[in-house]
Amino acid sequence: PLVEAMEIEERPSITFKDVGGLEEQIREIYEVVGLPLIKPQLFDEIGVEPPKGVLLYGPPGTGKTLVARALAGEVKATFIRVVASQFVNKFIGEGARIVREVFRLAKEKKPSIIFIDEIDAIGSRRVDMGTSGDREVQRTMLQLLAEMDGFDPLEGVKVVAATNRIDLLDPALLRPGRFDRIIEIPLPDKKGRLEILKIHTRNMKLKDVDLEEIASMTEGFSGAELKAVATEAGFFAIRDGKNYVSQEHFIKAVDKVRNRMEKRKQIFG
Ligand code: ATP
């Protein structure tokens, strides 16, 4: 199960060019996570301690995983991804062992970035420790804290965690020396949406397509939803028997993705 529990990419091929919008967030994560990995002496000399971990928070599909992977690509680091909710529903009883193994591997393959998705699954504040399941989750979280406290901020390992529910997190996670930098990854504004649409249509054959107009029409869409718009537009073109994608295909695709978003909202609130 250990191999299944993590995804390892030696040196992701994507970089910041593959991320639309989020300029400020990219600058910050590069400074506090990227630079210490490639130029630790800079921090040593000046005598500042960079954070060991940062927390990314924001709505689903806004690019939290993407930013972390792109950072690993930029600084040529190993990217190790674990999904914390799987400790609770898939690798029950193995959480602490997996956490230990992830850090061991990260040190072996440094420089590395450990990405912990859905950290709220193990890092939520809880009122009582009623069931053995709760205690197991607690053990996983304590192991994570022990690992974070146990390494040096300049030894080539950084931890990036992500959540949609920062309000649920245990403040113990956010203490100095742990996830002491918090970066919000919001929904994209119009400029961001345009950049994201450009990225996801890079390899598409477009004819008379005005992506600015599509960016204006898609307020409230996440990056993942904009990617879906590009894909759906391609499907409409194929259904239409065309070998290029037109504005009309994009407009239909926006409608389709918007309907899907509304249905989801009705179901999940
Ligand atoms: P979740 O909270 O659901 O895990 P996330 O914030 O980690 O979501 P990603 O998994 O990074 O979101 O995004 C899903 C996909 O959507 C990405 O692989 C990418 O193709 C696209 N995407 C999301 N945001 C952006 C962006 N800012 N620029 C370009 N593509 C994006």
Side-chain angles (χ1 to χ4, degrees):
L2 282 184
V3 224
E4 260 177 76
M6 48 188 132
E7 268 167 46
I8 304 170
E9 254 181 299
E10 288 287 332
R11 215 197 239 201
S13 55
I14 64 161
T15 62
F16 291 143
K17 283 198 299 299
D18 301 290
V19 183
L22 303 174
E23 280 84 12
E24 265 176 55
Q25 288 84 352
I26 285 175
R27 185 167 39 74
E28 185 168 4
I29 201 171
Y30 181 75
E31 276 174 13
V32 299
V33 179
L35 267 186
L37 282 179
I38 51 178
K39 295 203 173 128
Q41 68 283 9
L42 215 72
F43 294 81
D44 220 13
E45 242 169 55
I46 298 186
V48 284
E49 269 202 4
K52 297 180 188 174
V54 301
L55 178 71
L56 308 181
Y57 79 98
T62 45
K64 296 182 284 299
T65 311
L66 184 70
V67 166
R69 267 184 79 215
L71 174 66
E74 288 287 341
V75 301
K76 301 178 175 49
T78 307
F79 184 69
I80 305 178
R81 173 172 178 263
V82 292
V83 181
S85 59
Q86 294 194 335
F87 297 150
V88 186
N89 51 38
K90 195 166 169 204
F91 304 109
I92 306 148
E94 311 245 36
R97 201 160 72 92
I98 295 170
V99 168
R100 223 177 302 127
E101 185 61 14
V102 165
F103 277 84
R104 195 194 58 75
L105 211 88
K107 283 171 200 161
E108 187 184 300
K109 296 189 175 290
K110 70 189 180 189
S112 346
I113 293 172
I114 300 174
F115 181 72
I116 307 177
D117 211 350
E118 301 175 31
I119 187 145
D120 46 282
I122 56 163
S124 285
R125 218 181 314 206
R126 55 203 71 236
V127 228
D128 63 306
M129 287 291 146
T131 66
S132 63
D134 284 346
R135 282 194 294 275
E136 147 69 9
V137 170
Q138 166 86 343
R139 262 198 299 279
T140 307
M141 152 103 157
L142 289 175
Q143 187 64 41
L144 173 63
L145 295 182
E147 295 289 348
M148 292 209 54
D149 294 344
F151 75 89
D152 186 279
L154 292 176
E155 75 175 280
V157 176
K158 294 284 166 198
V159 190
V160 178
T163 183
N164 308 318
R165 295 299 309 271
I166 194 170
D167 53 308
L168 295 180
L169 288 189
D170 190 325
L173 276 172
L174 309 178
R175 260 182 228 138
R178 296 171 178 172
F179 298 97
D180 52 3
R181 233 3 136 89
I182 299 176
I183 303 178
E184 184 187 3
I185 309 288
L187 286 171
D189 60 8
K190 187 185 162 202
K191 183 168 160 279
R193 292 196 297 277
L194 179 60
E195 284 177 28
I196 295 170
L197 286 164
K198 283 185 179 158
I199 288 170
H200 291 289
T201 54
R202 264 194 308 227
N203 300 316
M204 286 169 73
K205 201 160 136 202
L206 308 183
K207 198 171 158 189
D208 298 325
V209 168
D210 180 1
L211 289 178
E212 284 246 13
E213 189 192 356
I214 305 301
S216 298
M217 292 171 64
T218 45
E219 165 115 60
F221 283 48
S222 68
E225 286 154 351
L226 292 166
K227 181 188 185 183
V229 166
T231 307
E232 292 295 342
F235 280 120
F236 277 116
I238 290 169
R239 196 178 305 163
D240 209 13
K242 299 288 195 316
N243 64 353
Y244 56 83
V245 188
S246 69
Q247 188 73 352
E248 186 201 345
H249 301 138
F250 269 94
I251 290 174
K252 281 191 191 163
V254 170
D255 271 343
K256 182 163 181 184
V257 173
R258 194 193 303 280
N259 281 335
R260 217 188 283 155
M261 286 159 66
E262 267 153 24
K263 223 168 259 158
R264 193 166 305 153
K265 217 189 274 164
Q266 277 170 16
I267 300 173
F268 299 108

